[in-house]
Amino acid sequence: MAPVVARLVSVSKPYLVPGKLLVKEYWFEVPLDHDDPKSKPIRLFARSAIRYERPIVESSEAVQKPYLVYLQGGPGGGNPAPQDSPLSGSMLDRGYELLFLDQRGTGLSSTVSANTLELIGGPQEQADYLKHFRADTLVKDYEAVRLYLTKDYPPEKKKWSTFGQSFGGMMTLTYLSFAPEGLRECFITGGLATLDKGPEEVYTATYRKVIERNEAYYKKFPEDIATVKFIAEKIRELGGEKGIPLPGGGFLTVQRLMTVGLNFGTHGGLDRVHNYIVRMKGDLDQFSMFTRCTLTELEHDNSWDTAPIYTVLHEPIWCYVPGIASRWAAERVGKTLDQYQWLRTDWAGPASLGDKPLFFSGEMIYPFHFETCAELIKLKETANILAEYDQWPPLYNIQQLAKNEVPVYAASYNDMYVDPDMARETASRIKGIKVFETNVLYHNAVRVRTEDVIPQLLKLRDDTID
């Protein structure tokens, strides 16, 4: 079957934003199911950006710059505006035109939420719909858009470059596996995920890194060993079994508090969590309760309610071939670990830990998210259906990666989210890849330490290794 070509719905006139960026907005349509081009159409939103130049002498000849497409992390995250992207400050001056295409279900592209999913039908219909929102389908969307945008280009400009952060790097591996003909070169940051290990193996490895980061946290803030447990006891006392009501409709439980450990994998994450603990302790000492400001900050700590794809489709990103169901793997693995007794239904509470600290979780999704997050409560049954589904299409073609001809440049970190040992194994299986590896940068380095990442990737691209 010939690949689908996206249908252009509209394109805006270019407009100028600070930083000398000339931006255009696009709306496209693609089928929900690329294997059935007549299936329900969905809309995709994109912005492009080039460096605005005002020459002394205007030229009547339009020059088409090669595209560099940003593949956002997540899954479930929308794109930043071009002027807010770390790529704009470095890649535009390299001669690229940047394209920020919101992945289906994220940003403005057929946004997934509890309310929009209600329009699809009940839990089973919602689950069937969301089965078309993994990387294997996202790559087909990108190819459909590429085929439209480059349809009148000369052959040497029909391919495009990609820059994949985190989940966007995993998407890159899928792209290289199944549609390498569309790629000129690929940049990956923090996204060299395992190619052939399922959810249990992945979480067994990532829990080890999360435990390391917890140990670093309590080494830096030893007073928090007692404080965190004190706060946890107060949450149980004030909220009972259901938890303390949050301003947005969710509930603060001990388990939900522990999820702020997701910050541990980022620059400044230890301090961010400590600030929450200081604020919560301060509230209790002064008022014997948590203030609305504190509860609001905790509720907004991660995008549980605003990016539901991140939760409902997070474990399925590790289901790399048919026959694998996630079945709440993070919870199952965590319950076997002494540090995560709080996942067990028979946990006696913080006091049972004695002098041991209460460990935070990392990038793990649990069933309790769908009992404590306002938006996710409505999707509990849908999430359970997806957790039991085991007929996911393949995500990677290892044989194709072994004979890869597309230049790939990657940055790999001392990463809490993507296990470094698994990343090395993946890199060893991609022909021609060049990797910059460091243990002094964390997962969000491309955003907060851009100057330490992008120049290294460009050295891999432009320099030689003897």
Side-chain angles (χ1 to χ4, degrees), residues 277-294:
I277 299 305
V278 171
R279 175 183 281 275
M280 296 178 81
K281 179 64 160 54
D283 280 357
L284 291 171
D285 288 346
Q286 297 174 81
F287 313 113
S288 299
M289 66 177 184
F290 300 114
T291 62
R292 182 184 180 92
C293 182
T294 296

Side-chain angles (χ1 to χ4, degrees), residues 73-89:
N79 274 304
Q83 61 269 31
D84 297 327
S85 169
L87 299 189
S88 297

